[in-house]
Amino acid sequence: MAALRALLLRVRAPLRPVAAGPPPRPFASGAGFEYIITEKKGKEGNVGLVQMNRPKALNALCNGLINEINRAMEAFQQDPAVGAIVLTGGEKAFAAGADIKEMQNQTFQNCYSTGFLSHWDRVTHIKKPVIAAVNGFALGGGCELAMMCDIIYAGEKAQFGQPEILLGTIPGAGGTQRLTRAVGKSLAMEMILTGDRISAQDAKQAGLVSKIFPVETLVEEAIKCAEKIANNSKIVTAMAKESVNAAFEMTLTEGNKLEKKLFYLTFATEDRKEGMTAFVEKRKATFRDQ
Ligand code: HXC
């Protein structure tokens, strides 16, 4: 046990801690939110759905909307029944960016002293897999929010862009970093320097999204993928997610070392034993997230 604890400490050391703060308030499905709708989906209710619902402003990401997304994500993170989360918007817009009207009179002094928008990346601290289901516009902060998720599925009319340059600013929620890692330097530079948007088809070809679906079936397909993920061991899934994300933070040697430690750690779980035993006994594994 002591050896396991020591291994856990070493494995966790280089990773960012989960954002501090008060524990999320639990919520009943859909209750108490102004800008989002939440529901449990999937045959066993093991998928958390967060739908941005500010259609008149094309889901422009005002402070209230971001706070509600964070609250819902953290509540699904705490919910033991939920194994994966889908984040979506409406058919016209996933999100058209940060709320420009809210930002219009912002000053450098205030941005700097209050850490303006620093709470935007809370989605990246969620251990459960998050799938972005993007229909319509994913622009500026909307594209950045999608890129904070683990998988992006797109509707066939989706458009991705970082148009901040046209507003006299630059992406500030990871766009210059995550887009460049996702699509490579030339396309990222082109999008960020011109503000031009790319189609779902171009986004798929560039590796920004993994699958494209008709507009009407996109969310359903994202839920199906989330359900598939949620049926696996939650604890081992979290390790797999941690390991893939390390690829963006570490050298190959460091990343491979972390992967090996996490792989060894799966042997400390009952689910690893059950998975392999079920295979040998030719039956379906029953994971208990232990
Ligand atoms: C505030 C927005 C908005 C935004 C749209 N709206 N995007 N409000 N912030 N980002 C509002 C419009 O003002 C309008 O409100 C309503 O939504 C419908 O928008 P329209 O422009 O009338 O729709 P349409 O003609 O279909 O054009 C859609 C669009 C365009 C191409 C997406 O709205 C657009 O260019 N939006 C801005 C996109 C953008 O620049 N995003 C980056 C933001 S900066 P009213 O009240 O007039 O009906 C950013 C920085 C992130 O994200 C930095 C770090 C977090």
Side-chain angles (χ1 to χ4, degrees):
M1 203 55 207
L4 177 61
R5 213 173 296 123
L7 183 60
L8 268 166
L9 281 175
R10 246 178 295 138
V11 165
R12 290 178 63 92
L15 300 173
R16 283 175 303 173
V18 170
R25 276 184 286 152
F27 58 85
S29 270
F33 292 121
E34 185 180 348
Y35 301 111
I36 63 170
I37 297 167
T38 62
E39 263 181 277
K40 296 249 205 101
K41 294 286 195 179
K43 278 187 217 98
E44 292 170 27
N46 55 6
V47 174
L49 177 68
V50 180
Q51 181 179 15
M52 294 177 272
N53 187 34
R54 199 190 173 206
K56 284 193 187 141
L58 304 184
N59 291 330
L61 296 158
C62 60
N63 196 41
L65 174 49
I66 286 287
N67 282 337
E68 289 190 3
I69 293 170
N70 288 342
R71 244 181 79 202
M73 288 284 165
E74 283 162 20
F76 281 137
Q77 172 65 40
Q78 302 297 326
D79 185 335
V82 169
I85 300 164
V86 173
L87 175 64
T88 194
E91 289 198 358
K92 180 162 180 193
F94 177 76
D99 191 319
I100 300 167
K101 293 165 191 167
E102 225 177 52
M103 278 191 301
Q104 184 190 0
N105 296 317
Q106 186 58 272
T107 62
F108 158 73
Q109 288 83 349
N110 195 53
C111 284
Y112 189 78
S113 54
T114 62
F116 181 54
L117 304 184
S118 57
H119 60 314
W120 270 52
D121 69 352
R122 295 285 275 273
V123 172
T124 65
H125 297 287
I126 299 297
K127 285 188 170 181
K128 294 176 183 175
V130 183
I131 302 173
V134 177
N135 266 324
F137 299 113
L139 304 179
C143 186
E144 291 172 306
L145 182 62
M147 291 190 292
M148 288 178 207
C149 299
D150 302 304
I151 296 171
I152 306 180
Y153 275 8
E156 56 200 357
K157 294 189 184 142
Q159 291 186 43
F160 296 83
Q162 297 289 161
E164 288 89 343
I165 200 83
L166 305 175
L167 299 168
T169 186
I170 69 169
T176 61
Q177 304 304 300
R178 292 196 179 92
L179 186 65
T180 307
R181 283 164 169 79
V183 306
K185 178 175 165 180
S186 182
L187 183 56
M189 279 287 191
E190 191 182 335
M191 289 171 70
I192 289 165
L193 301 184
T194 65
D196 285 352
R197 302 176 210 146
I198 59 168
S199 65
Q201 294 70 24
D202 287 345
K204 177 158 187 306
Q205 198 182 5
L208 181 61
V209 314
S210 54
K211 287 193 177 123
I212 300 178
F213 295 98
V215 172
E216 325 68 67
T217 59
L218 169 73
V219 175
E220 194 185 308
E221 294 291 344
I223 290 168
K224 269 192 221 162
C225 175
E227 218 178 343
K228 216 183 255 185
I229 292 169
N231 287 334
N232 296 325
S233 161
K234 293 185 186 65
I235 188 164
V236 176
T237 295
M239 290 182 203
K241 168 168 168 167
E242 183 181 336
S243 197
V244 174
N245 277 333
F248 295 96
E249 309 283 348
M250 293 177 166
T251 64
L252 181 61
T253 304
E254 285 168 345
N256 279 335
K257 258 191 213 164
L258 175 73
E259 181 195 79
K260 195 68 88 246
K261 284 177 184 170
L262 286 165
F263 168 70
Y264 292 158
L265 267 184
T266 66
F267 285 78
T269 68
E270 289 171 23
D271 286 346
R272 194 285 314 165
K273 180 91 179 148
E274 163 64 8
M276 292 190 184
T277 304
F279 175 82
V280 172
E281 292 175 357
K282 299 188 187 298
R283 61 175 173 82
K284 197 171 174 295
T286 305
F287 295 120
R288 293 174 44 243
D289 308 318
Q290 294 296 318

